[in-house]
């Protein structure tokens, strides 16, 4: 007897299939501080190098408030995420949690969101990298790639257009090679990257403050609440990565205390850095200048050049950005391949996505497909379209997670939860509220793109995935098709 | 079909000869030990120095042969054996020439002295042999001795699971049948190196998938083996093939996760090396080889 459509849409992957990995012990025990620094490392650098130029024109000096709002949303979401991650001990992302907790249809919606979060953000970050790379070339060699090879062909407002954003494409392909080889970023390299990022941002702050002018903060509230929420939507993107802390829930000593402290601590550091950068930038130049054409590519670097009049500080900043953004692209691209891998394992995507190449021991096919798609997006679409798309995907995913926490507390109250959200019904509800507020600021075209993408993914699911799901093949969720080891 | 052993002169290393004796006994054939000495420069008229060199070659060759024969008396008294010395400009080339001349079936060499005991360590000659041999090359772990186990009783095939693996398995099975030994298939699985520190999971999924994939590939290969030829079915293989997928954080853990005993031989295939079908070790093969505590036989592509 074949299952009904309703059954298919709501079936959940049984939790006992999610038994923890039984291989060799790969875990380490983690303290609050280490976890916090891990969160800072994963978060800082994704957006702050580019986001001021997008957000300040929307909100004016009140961009500082937007940073706080976006940070609040990200922090609350991370708490909800942490509970779900600790209750459902599976590796993977929001997608896996949703499949276990909320059923197949919701999992596909989440998958669509998370693909935007990781895939499009890889492309967006690569585009941002391209700007700083060109700036670095210009400062060091006095030469930069021609516009035709450093801008995408699709116009955005009156920005420069070209044929292809070559540096972005090359960056993504380099990351692909590393991923296929099996690149490792050791904890030490990660720490160095974080220090480089924080170092160049602090340099920006210090130099920015030397050009302090309180006049630039005049008309603080002029753009109003709409401006603040619009900017928060764009800025939200720069807090992605904080959820990485949540997934480490199982390995933390005393998660009930350590996790919220680590998340809040990491958030505190990140918000402080971001707000300092925003204040320094705003104090150094009037808000209108953030939207100017010369600042579109390597914004922070150009501001430094305007302040100091020399090439030294901007070159250091551009170099730091080029090095550290590279590692961010690598990590987001990696996250993307592993989500598709999990989907392939569940039968939601063709099996090739979860096949491991015996020579490299990595999912090679998967990685190549992801890299080609991301390279196309990064090479052809201007970043301005990308930031908001990433934010909308992430926000919707976070809302679903918050709802999932509430639903799971009702449907499976007995489930063991090493970490429970503090102030229970309030925190998830507040998360949904803040996320909805930020979402309300996003442009109509972003919603349109998001809706279209959702339709594409769900159509694929209804036509193909629904019938090929691993649960379908095993004859329903009751079959113990667990991993044999 | 002789077993040829490369024995470096004046190096009191019995491992290679011991391995050669074990292989020859199991495969029921004879054993030839070859020591390679440096060839003189070609000169039109032999001068004083050249005559000195020729004299040195004679005495050194005789000493090497005597040394090999004394080892042979100890470890291979029951076998038809022969020891000789040849001159050559390069040890690997000279050994391969001799292998062709005597029609050797396998060439056995020892490990480099610069390595841990009980591990296979490739010296420059062994490394060169593995990359250019037309016949299987067996490398003995350092300090290998076979007094306790005269024959190999189990052959382990390192089965990578790619398109060439069934061929390697087929040839391993032939060796197992010829030696009357058990066959075992092992795919070494290693957790991929990742972006994130291990606190953030994600790579276990990939490892799990690879383990499943490897198990399936092993099953397919084994059943193909069973139906492939009559010779295998009535050999030692019927129903006794053991399949393993050991998992480790790195190659040394993965290799150590398998149980090894004195009668084991590990067989590796090397990656196809272009038109000459020479041995080019894949990166996995070199890593497995480095951690192997038993003799390793590498088949040319």
């Amino acid at each position: 007897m074949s299952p009904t459509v309703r059954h298919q849409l709501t079936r959940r992957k049984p939790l006992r299939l999610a038994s923890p990995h039984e291989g060799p012990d790969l875990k380490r025990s983690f303290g609050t501080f280490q976890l916090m620094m891990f969160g800072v490392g994963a978060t800082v650098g994704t957006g702050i190098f580019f986001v001021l130029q997008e957000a300040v024109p929307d909100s004016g000096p009140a961009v500082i408030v937007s940073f706080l709002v976006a940070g609040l949303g990200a922090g609350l979401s991370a708490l909800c995420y942490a509970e779900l991650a600790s209750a459902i001990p599976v590796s993977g992302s929001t997608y896996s949690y949703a499949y276990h907790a909320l059923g197949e249809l919701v999992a596909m919606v989440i998958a669509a969101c998370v693909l935007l979060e990781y895939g499009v953000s890889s492309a967006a970050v690569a585009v941002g990298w391209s700007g700083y790379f060109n700036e670095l070339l210009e400062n060091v060699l006095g030469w930069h790639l021609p516009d035709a090879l450093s801008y995408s062909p699709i116009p955005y407002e009156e920005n420069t257009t070209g044929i292809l954003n070559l540096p972005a494409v090359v960056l993504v392909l380099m990351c692909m090679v590393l991923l296929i080889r099996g690149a490792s970023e050791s904890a030490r390299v990660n720490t160095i990257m974080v220090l480089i990022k924080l170092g160049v941002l602090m340099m920006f702050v210090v130099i920015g403050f030397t050009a302090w002018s309180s006049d630039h903060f005049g008309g603080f509230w002029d753009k109003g609440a709409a401006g603040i929420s619009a900017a928060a939507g764009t800025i939200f993107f720069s807090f992605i990565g904080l959820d990485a802390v949540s997934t480490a829930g199982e390995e933390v000593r005393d998660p009930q205390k350590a996790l919220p402290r680590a998340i809040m601590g990491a958030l505190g550091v990140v918000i402080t850095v971001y707000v300092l950068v925003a204040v320094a930038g705003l104090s150094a130049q009037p808000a209108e200048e953030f939207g100017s054409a010369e600042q579109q590519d390597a914004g922070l670097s150009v501001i430094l050049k305007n302040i100091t009049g020399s090439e030294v500080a901007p070159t250091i900043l551009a170099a730091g950005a080029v090095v550290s953004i590279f590692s961010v692209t690598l990590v987001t691209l990696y996250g993307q391949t592993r989500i598709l891998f999990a989907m392939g394992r569940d039968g939601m995507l063709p099996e090739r996505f979860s096949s491991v190449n015996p020579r490299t021991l990595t999912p090679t096919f998967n990685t190549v497909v992801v890299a080609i798609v991301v390279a196309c997006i990064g090479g052809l679409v201007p970043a301005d379209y990308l930031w908001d798309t990433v934010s909308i995907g992430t926000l919707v995913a976070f809302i679903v997670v918050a709802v999932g926490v509430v639903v799971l507390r009702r449907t499976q109250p007995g489930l063991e939860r090493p970490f429970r959200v503090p102030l229970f019904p309030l925190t998830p509800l507040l998360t949904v509220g803040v996320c909805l507020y930020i979402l309300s600021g996003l442009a109509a075209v972003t919603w349109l793109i998001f809706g279209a993408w959702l339709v594409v993914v769900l159509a694929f699911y209804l036509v193909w995935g629904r019938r090929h799901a691993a649960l379908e093949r095993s004859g329903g969720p009751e079959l113990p098709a667990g991993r044999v080891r | 079909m002789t077993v040829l052993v490369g024995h470096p002169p004046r190096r009191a290393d019995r491992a290679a000869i011991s391995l050669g004796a074990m292989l020859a006994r199991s495969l029921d054939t004879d054993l030839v030990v070859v020591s390679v000495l440096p060839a003189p420069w070609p000169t039109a008229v032999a001068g004083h120095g050249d005559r000195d060199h020729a004299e040195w070659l004679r005495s050194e060759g005789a000493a090497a042969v005597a040394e090999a024969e004394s080892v042979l008396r100890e470890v291979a008294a029951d076998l038809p054996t022969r020891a000789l010395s040849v001159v050559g400009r390069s040890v690997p080339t000279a050994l391969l020439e001799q292998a062709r001349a005597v029609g050797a079936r396998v060439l056995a060499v020892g490990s480099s002295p610069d390595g841990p005991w009980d591990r296979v360590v490739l010296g420059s000659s062994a490394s060169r042999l593995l990359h250019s041999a037309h016949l299987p090359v067996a490398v003995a772990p350092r300090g290998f001795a076979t007094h306790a186990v005269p024959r190999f009783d189990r052959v382990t095939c390192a089965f990578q699971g790619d398109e060439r693996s069934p061929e390697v398995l087929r040839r391993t099975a032939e060796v197992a049948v010829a030696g009357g030994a058990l066959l075992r298939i092992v795919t070494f699985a290693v957790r991929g190196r990742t972006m994130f520190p291990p606190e953030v999971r994600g790579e276990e999924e990939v490892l799990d998938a690879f383990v499943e994939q490897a198990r399936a590939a092993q099953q397919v290969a084994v059943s193909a083996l069973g139906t492939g030829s009559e010779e295998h079915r009535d050999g030692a293989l019927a129903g006794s093939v053991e399949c393993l997928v050991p998992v480790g954080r790195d190659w040394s853990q993965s290799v150590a996760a398998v149980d090894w005993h004195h009668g084991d031989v590990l067989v590796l295939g090397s990656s196809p090396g272009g038109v000459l079908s020479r041995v080019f070790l894949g990166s996995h093969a070199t890593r497995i080889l480095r951690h192997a505590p038993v003799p390793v036989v590498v088949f040319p592509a």
Side-chain angles (χ1 to χ4, degrees):
Chain A
M1 187 188 80
S2 70
T4 63
V5 175
R6 184 168 170 275
H7 172 74
Q8 283 175 328
L9 297 186
T10 54
R11 68 186 161 200
R12 292 179 288 131
K13 208 171 162 186
L15 273 176
R16 62 196 164 83
L17 291 194
S19 60
H21 184 82
E22 290 165 24
D25 187 21
L26 309 167
K27 295 172 185 171
R28 277 193 283 171
S29 188
F30 237 165
T32 309
F33 184 75
Q34 290 150 295
L35 193 60
M36 188 181 109
M37 290 325 286
F38 177 64
V40 172
T43 311
V44 173
T46 327
I48 190 63
F49 286 104
F50 337 111
V51 86
L52 282 183
Q53 276 59 38
E54 301 296 327
V56 176
D58 287 337
S59 65
V63 73
I64 295 161
V65 180
S66 304
F67 268 108
L68 295 177
V69 171
L72 178 68
L76 289 171
S77 309
L79 284 179
C80 297
Y81 198 10
E83 169 163 337
L84 216 52
S86 77
I88 305 168
V90 290
S91 65
S93 59
T94 336
Y95 159 77
S96 314
Y97 304 133
Y99 200 177
H100 285 283
L102 303 169
E104 213 165 276
L105 183 70
V106 182
M108 283 312 282
V109 173
I110 288 272
C113 298
V114 176
L115 290 182
L116 290 182
E117 177 179 346
Y118 284 91
V120 178
S121 73
S122 313
V125 174
V127 173
W129 184 83
S130 158
Y132 277 95
F133 179 72
N134 251 337
E135 177 75 13
L136 187 66
L137 280 185
E138 175 68 43
N139 287 355
V140 174
L141 302 177
W143 174 86
H144 62 91
L145 285 170
D147 283 355
L149 290 181
S150 38
Y151 291 97
S152 56
I154 300 174
Y156 175 81
E157 292 172 1
E158 61 274 11
N159 288 355
T160 329
T161 55
I163 298 169
L164 180 74
N165 193 334
L166 189 65
V169 173
V170 171
L171 174 71
V172 172
L173 295 183
M174 284 196 299
C175 291
M176 175 188 85
V177 172
L178 283 178
L179 287 176
I180 289 176
R181 260 195 73 243
S184 61
E185 187 173 284
S186 66
R188 186 174 300 166
V189 175
N190 191 38
T191 313
I192 293 173
M193 292 289 180
V194 175
L195 291 179
I196 290 178
K197 282 186 277 199
L198 292 178
V200 294
L201 289 175
M202 280 304 118
M203 182 188 76
F204 176 83
V205 170
V206 170
I207 296 177
F209 280 156
T210 62
W212 181 277
S213 161
S214 306
D215 293 349
H216 298 154
F217 293 93
F220 195 84
W221 301 107
D222 281 2
K223 302 273 184 176
I228 291 176
S229 65
T234 310
I235 287 171
F236 193 75
F237 162 78
S238 52
F239 286 96
I240 291 174
L242 201 63
D243 43 347
V245 177
S246 320
T247 55
E250 258 203 1
E251 285 83 6
V252 186
R253 296 187 289 266
D254 192 7
Q256 188 60 39
K257 276 187 186 161
L259 263 186
R261 284 182 189 168
I263 290 173
M264 288 306 151
L267 192 64
V269 174
V270 171
I271 288 185
T272 309
V273 172
Y274 285 4
V275 168
L276 279 177
V277 170
V279 170
L282 282 167
S283 72
Q285 65 176 21
E288 302 79 53
E289 278 188 28
F290 282 93
S292 69
E294 62 156 5
Q295 298 201 3
Q296 281 316 303
D297 293 329
L300 299 189
S301 199
V302 176
I303 296 177
L304 280 188
K305 196 186 285 181
N306 292 344
I307 297 172
T308 60
S310 101
E311 299 282 338
V312 178
T315 308
I316 294 175
L317 188 124
V322 163
V323 172
S324 55
I325 299 169
F326 182 95
S327 79
V328 173
T329 315
L330 198 63
V331 170
T332 46
L333 212 58
Y334 168 82
Q336 173 68 87
T337 60
R338 294 312 187 259
I339 290 162
L340 291 178
F341 188 85
M343 292 176 72
R345 294 264 281 165
D346 289 336
M348 300 298 190
L349 282 176
E351 214 170 281
R352 292 197 68 180
F353 279 92
S354 63
S355 70
V356 184
N357 186 323
R359 282 180 199 281
T360 56
L361 291 180
T362 52
T364 307
F365 173 78
N366 179 337
T367 311
V368 171
V369 170
V370 167
I372 289 175
V373 172
V374 170
C376 288
I377 299 176
L380 302 177
V381 185
D384 312 74
Y385 291 111
L386 300 178
W387 307 135
D388 289 1
T389 318
V390 176
S391 288
I392 197 172
T394 315
L395 283 163
V396 173
F398 281 172
I399 288 176
V400 178
V401 167
V403 172
V405 167
V406 179
V407 169
L408 210 60
R409 287 265 184 125
R410 302 234 162 229
T411 55
Q412 304 208 30
L415 197 65
E416 191 194 334
R417 294 173 172 84
F419 172 72
R420 301 171 81 92
V421 164
L423 305 177
F424 165 62
L426 190 64
T427 311
L429 293 180
L430 204 60
T431 310
V432 174
V434 174
C435 288
L436 281 177
Y437 171 71
I438 301 173
L439 276 175
S440 71
L442 291 171
V445 62
T446 312
W447 283 97
L448 213 61
I449 295 173
F450 180 68
W453 170 243
L454 206 58
V455 167
V456 169
V457 172
L458 289 184
F460 175 79
Y461 165 66
L462 289 174
V463 172
W464 196 91
R466 188 164 59 92
R467 294 176 220 286
H468 291 79
L471 292 181
E472 178 92 3
R473 272 178 277 150
S474 64
E478 292 315 311
L479 235 160
R483 306 166 198 158
V484 192
R485 174 168 286 282
Chain B
M1 293 305 270
T2 314
V3 173
L4 189 84
V5 176
H7 178 69
R10 288 189 182 272
R11 195 189 291 167
D13 185 8
R14 323 148 83 85
I17 299 182
S18 299
L19 176 60
M22 177 171 97
L23 295 175
R25 214 173 275 125
S26 281
L27 300 174
D28 201 14
T29 177
D30 62 324
L31 184 62
V32 175
V33 179
V34 176
S35 299
V36 181
L37 297 168
W41 285 86
T43 47
V45 182
H48 189 66
D50 298 310
R51 285 197 296 278
D52 267 0
H53 184 79
E55 181 54 38
W56 176 82
L57 275 183
R58 263 191 297 281
S59 66
E60 193 69 11
V65 168
E67 186 189 313
E69 277 171 345
S70 82
V71 177
L72 281 172
R73 272 194 296 280
E74 272 180 56
V75 304
D78 55 327
L79 291 171
T81 58
R82 189 154 58 99
L84 65 149
S85 71
V86 298
V87 295
R89 296 290 296 280
S90 117
V91 175
T93 315
L95 284 178
L96 291 177
E97 268 169 22
Q98 283 301 310
R100 277 207 182 81
V102 302
R105 177 177 187 171
V106 57
L107 172 59
V109 293
S111 278
S112 155
D114 313 319
W117 286 93
D118 275 336
R119 288 286 179 279
V120 170
V121 188
L122 295 182
S124 57
S125 296
S127 178
R128 178 69 206 291
L129 278 173
L130 292 181
H131 287 85
S132 60
H134 60 276
L135 77 170
V137 176
V139 189
R142 198 165 161 232
F144 178 75
T146 51
H147 298 303
V149 263
R151 295 162 190 271
F152 59 82
D153 53 17
R154 183 167 62 180
V155 183
T156 304
C157 176
F159 186 86
Q160 197 179 27
D162 63 1
E163 63 280 2
R164 248 183 52 78
S165 298
E167 171 64 12
V168 175
L169 179 61
R170 191 185 60 74
R171 290 163 76 171
T172 314
E174 281 172 12
V175 173
V177 169
L182 294 173
L183 178 64
R184 180 165 73 160
I185 304 179
V186 177
T187 305
F188 297 99
V190 173
R191 180 182 190 266
R193 290 172 292 168
T194 58
M195 302 295 109
F196 290 124
E199 292 76 27
V200 178
R201 288 155 297 155
E203 216 49 32
E204 280 70 39
E205 284 264 306
V206 175
L207 189 56
D208 287 347
F210 180 69
V211 169
E212 275 170 29
Q213 216 175 290
R215 286 219 174 92
Q218 287 179 342
Q219 288 311 319
V220 170
V222 168
S223 50
L225 206 60
T227 55
S229 68
E230 287 296 317
E231 181 197 354
H232 290 147
R233 221 177 300 165
D234 52 26
L237 296 183
S240 61
V241 181
E242 189 187 353
C243 294
L244 295 175
V245 185
V247 179
R249 187 202 290 264
D250 53 27
W251 292 96
S252 91
Q253 265 193 8
S254 180
V255 174
V258 182
D259 91 285
W260 300 101
H261 65 73
H262 284 300
D264 271 322
V265 172
L266 173 64
V267 177
L268 298 172
S270 55
S271 311
V275 283
L276 293 173
S277 89
R278 289 184 153 185
V279 177
F280 272 97
L281 288 177
S283 57
H284 289 196
T286 37
R287 287 182 187 136
I288 296 168
L289 196 141
R290 198 181 302 150
H291 300 293
V294 296
V296 177
V297 178
V298 179
F299 276 119

